[in-house]
Amino acid sequence: MPNQRFLTIYSGILTFVFAVTVLSGFAGRTKKVSFDEINVRRINIIEPDGTLRMILSNKTDAPGMFIRGKEYPHPDRKSAGVIFVDDEGTENGGLIFGGFKNKEGKVESWGHLSFDQYQQDQVFSIDAGEEEGHRRSGIGISDRGDYPILEAVEATTRIGALPGDQQEAEYKKFVATHGGDAQRAYFGRVGDGSVVLRLKDKQGRDRIVLQVNADGTPVLQLLDANGKMTAQLPPQDHR
């Protein structure tokens, strides 16, 4: 009996040592797994330290907005796509897309690729879509103010909690101290079938507009800061 008990204990120790050795070997080894096909609702790509770097998601599981590793609500994000995240865990661009026929049988479709300013919103975007029978596609270039987007997120939450009759005034106060956001250029096809190039000043006002209308008529316009046309080719017909 003593010998049998000794053998049982000895066997258990050997099994334990073997298990630890095998598991330690697996833990220290980089594993690569290959799949022919995989079905997944969402994939979070992270760094070794856990920092989120990219999210691939369906529509239902679309993420909120990430700022320095913290997720904030993003109610308007209801599309499948890819969200890019910088080294500090802040969103800095994305690709979203979708499309369907609504209850009236009309097409609603969209595609959007954008790149963000550091700790801010998008400064370059490519868009295409259709709504109410109007098709559009274009490239936009924008300026962003020198303030972190987190201040805008916090202000939106704070102002949204105020009574309705106070929200507009508070929003104007925020904009007065957080300027610099403006579209600077746009080139694309707009809903009426024309194509247009709009060059804007720092306040987002059109200053040069080059357009080919849906009927093929070309127009070049120069405008002042008040939106008044100062010159046009071909000349405007005043008759």
Side-chain angles (χ1 to χ4, degrees), residues 168-187:
E168 183 176 356
E170 287 299 312
Y171 178 72
K172 287 181 178 179
K173 288 181 182 178
F174 177 81
V175 172
T177 57
H178 294 73
D181 296 338
Q183 188 179 69
R184 298 301 306 277
Y186 177 81
F187 171 62

Side-chain angles (χ1 to χ4, degrees), residues 17-223:
V17 171
F18 175 76
V20 170
T21 302
V22 171
L23 292 176
S24 296
F26 280 129
R29 186 184 307 161
T30 300
K31 292 184 289 185
K32 294 182 180 179
V33 182
S34 298
F35 298 95
D36 292 328
E37 184 175 336
I38 181 172
N39 294 327
V40 61
R41 292 170 53 170
R42 173 168 162 171
I43 297 175
N44 299 327
I45 298 178
I46 62 173
E47 297 288 355
D49 65 357
T51 301
L52 183 66
R53 295 306 308 274
M54 185 182 294
I55 304 168
L56 292 79
S57 172
N58 64 12
K59 173 182 176 179
T60 304
D61 299 287
M65 177 188 298
F66 284 88
I67 303 175
R68 293 194 175 277
K70 182 178 179 180
E71 186 173 7
Y72 294 83
H74 197 319
D76 296 332
R77 182 169 287 161
K78 298 178 181 179
S79 299
V82 183
I83 303 300
F84 311 128
V85 182
D86 68 16
D87 297 47
E88 299 172 347
T90 298
E91 184 175 323
N92 65 345
L95 166 67
I96 59 173
F97 50 88
F100 61 92
K101 282 189 175 181
N102 60 25
K103 295 179 180 180
E104 289 74 37
K106 296 181 179 180
V107 173
E108 293 186 23
S109 67
W110 61 93
H112 171 86
L113 172 64
S114 64
F115 301 93
D116 299 348
Q117 180 175 302
Y118 175 74
Q119 295 290 315
Q120 252 292 350
D121 208 343
Q122 64 191 37
V123 291
F124 178 81
S125 63
I126 301 174
D127 291 271
E130 180 176 348
E131 187 174 0
E132 294 294 327
H134 299 293
R135 300 189 181 107
R136 56 180 175 76
S137 57
I139 297 173
I141 298 173
S142 300
D143 282 346
R144 294 297 170 187
D146 293 324
Y147 64 91
I149 195 171
L150 181 57
E151 293 183 7
V153 173
E154 292 174 341
T156 299
T157 302
R158 175 180 57 82
I159 295 173
L162 296 174
D165 58 351
Q166 299 178 22
Q167 292 182 8
E168 183 176 356
E170 287 299 312
Y171 178 72
K172 287 181 178 179
K173 288 181 182 178
F174 177 81
V175 172
T177 57
H178 294 73
D181 296 338
Q183 188 179 69
R184 298 301 306 277
Y186 177 81
F187 171 62
R189 181 193 190 281
V190 294
D192 65 2
S194 61
V195 290
V196 61
L197 171 64
R198 297 181 179 274
L199 304 180
K200 307 166 181 280
D201 59 24
K202 287 187 175 182
Q203 286 70 44
R205 300 172 296 204
D206 287 345
R207 301 305 297 270
I208 300 176
V209 178
L210 176 61
Q211 182 167 321
V212 177
N213 295 318
D215 63 3
T217 305
V219 180
L220 170 62
Q221 296 179 335
L222 304 182
L223 303 99

